[in-house]
Amino acid sequence: MKTLHKKIGIWNVLIAGLLIVLWASVFWFQGLFGAVSWGLLKLVLPFVGVVLLLFFLIVLIIKLRRKHSIQRSLLSLLLSALMEFPLLLTLNVIPYAYPAKPDSLSPAVTVKWPLKERTTVGWGGDTPTVNLPHVTWASERWAYDLVMEPYNTGDPKLESYGIWNREVLAPVSGTVVAAYDDEDDIAPNTEDFQSSEGNHVYIRIEKTGTYLLLNHLKKGSVTVNVGDQVNPGDVLGRVGNSGSTSEPHLHIHHQRQDPTQTIYPIFAEGLPLYFEGIDAGPMPEKGTVVTPSR
């Protein structure tokens, strides 16, 4: 190890080691470790890389002026540049799904549809083509955004969207671990939100001990409290437009970790989520029109 330090430099050993650990966690270890590593790669590492890139560029210029060896500095610049690569994933320049497959993770859950009416899947499925906002993050790997006609109209009035104020039903039996509805509903296509999730209800699923998250509910509409036991079909609240959302819709996803205990929402391991009692496949994709059975 001492010989390696002398040959390529301690900084280069540390940077290379960090990159190897983070990428290995994502592709081989996965779990919570992989989810956190993926978040660090996409949101933290590129900013650290910029700082190091500037630092090593200055060092390189100084060495060139003094006519010192520049091999280590060139390697440092290369490694720092590699730290910028995940930024292409974050910006969806390279639309790449978090590398987990639904058949390799458990427990998956199959639940009831959370709405009474005919619904369109705005985003849903296993690939970036049909679920780009979600599959690129570990926590929302199999999340859905649900809308109703009319939608995606650009109308500034919330009441003009079909899903606005529709009742949200409990899809599964479990215990409410979070219930919040104090945030204002924002106008469509604005960025005045207070939190990314907005008003929400989170349920600890009775059979698996995992968690179902339902976000972007209407202010003042939540009908349950923390500690309540719910069953499929119980009313939880109404669809709103709170949080980071371009228009009224219901976001739903399944994850392993308790969302009330995570440091940051994306630092959780998303799990497969399927539906039953609908006239569509168990994992309906973007554009699928779903009618739940009565």
Side-chain angles (χ1 to χ4, degrees), residues 44 48 63 77 97 165 167 177 184 189 193 201 217 245 262 272:
V44 177
V48 176
K63 286 186 175 182
L77 284 173
N165 203 36
E167 285 187 336
V177 297
D184 292 331
N189 297 303
F193 58 89
V201 173
L217 305 183
T245 167
T262 52

Side-chain angles (χ1 to χ4, degrees), residues 246-263:
S246 59
E247 66 177 67
H249 73 278
L250 178 65
H251 171 101
I252 179 171
H253 78 263
H254 174 218
Q255 66 182 50
R256 191 181 305 278
Q257 287 74 29
D258 184 344
T260 67
Q261 302 298 319
T262 52
I263 299 173

Side-chain angles (χ1 to χ4, degrees), residues 164-165 168 176-186 194-195 197-202 214-226 228 235-243:
W164 167 258
N165 203 36
V168 177
V176 176
V177 297
Y180 178 73
D181 65 358
D182 285 342
E183 287 191 24
D184 292 331
D185 295 286
I186 63 175
Q194 300 173 40
S195 70
E197 301 85 6
N199 301 315
H200 56 264
V201 173
Y202 300 157
L214 301 102
N215 295 339
H216 310 311
L217 305 183
K218 184 181 178 183
K219 182 177 182 179
S221 72
V222 172
T223 59
V224 293
N225 298 299
V226 173
D228 286 353
V235 177
L236 302 177
R238 291 180 177 272
V239 178
N241 198 47
S242 59

Side-chain angles (χ1 to χ4, degrees), residues 78-287:
L78 175 61
L79 291 171
S80 300
L82 288 176
M83 296 174 76
E84 299 305 305
F85 171 75
L87 187 61
L88 300 177
L89 305 178
T90 306
L91 298 176
N92 291 325
V93 175
I94 300 176
Y96 188 78
Y98 178 72
K101 295 296 181 183
D103 56 0
S104 68
L105 287 177
S106 63
V109 296
T110 301
V111 304
K112 301 293 185 180
W113 198 248
L115 298 157
K116 296 177 183 177
E117 301 86 0
R118 184 180 177 89
T119 311
T120 299
V121 179
W123 291 104
D126 187 48
T127 67
T129 303
V130 294
N131 204 4
L132 182 60
H134 301 133
V135 300
T136 56
W137 298 100
S139 60
E140 299 182 355
R141 181 63 178 81
W142 292 281
Y144 301 81
D145 284 344
L146 307 179
V147 295
M148 293 180 188
E149 292 283 0
Y151 63 91
N152 197 27
T153 64
D155 195 310
K157 296 180 181 179
L158 293 170
E159 295 79 6
S160 69
Y161 293 84
I163 200 168
W164 167 258
N165 203 36
R166 300 285 186 173
E167 285 187 336
V168 177
L169 310 179
V172 68
S173 296
T175 304
V176 176
V177 297
Y180 178 73
D181 65 358
D182 285 342
E183 287 191 24
D184 292 331
D185 295 286
I186 63 175
N189 297 303
T190 59
E191 298 293 330
D192 298 328
F193 58 89
Q194 300 173 40
S195 70
S196 58
E197 301 85 6
N199 301 315
H200 56 264
V201 173
Y202 300 157
I203 301 170
R204 185 179 187 275
I205 301 172
E206 186 176 285
K207 289 184 178 180
T208 60
T210 53
Y211 298 85
L212 197 65
L213 287 70
L214 301 102
N215 295 339
H216 310 311
L217 305 183
K218 184 181 178 183
K219 182 177 182 179
S221 72
V222 172
T223 59
V224 293
N225 298 299
V226 173
D228 286 353
Q229 301 294 311
V230 296
N231 295 302
D234 290 348
V235 177
L236 302 177
R238 291 180 177 272
V239 178
N241 198 47
S242 59
S244 178
T245 167
S246 59
E247 66 177 67
H249 73 278
L250 178 65
H251 171 101
I252 179 171
H253 78 263
H254 174 218
Q255 66 182 50
R256 191 181 305 278
Q257 287 74 29
D258 184 344
T260 67
Q261 302 298 319
T262 52
I263 299 173
Y264 194 68
I266 65 167
F267 291 155
E269 182 187 9
L271 295 170
L273 176 62
Y274 301 99
F275 293 98
E276 62 183 0
I278 59 174
D279 63 343
M283 185 178 283
E285 296 184 346
K286 176 184 178 180

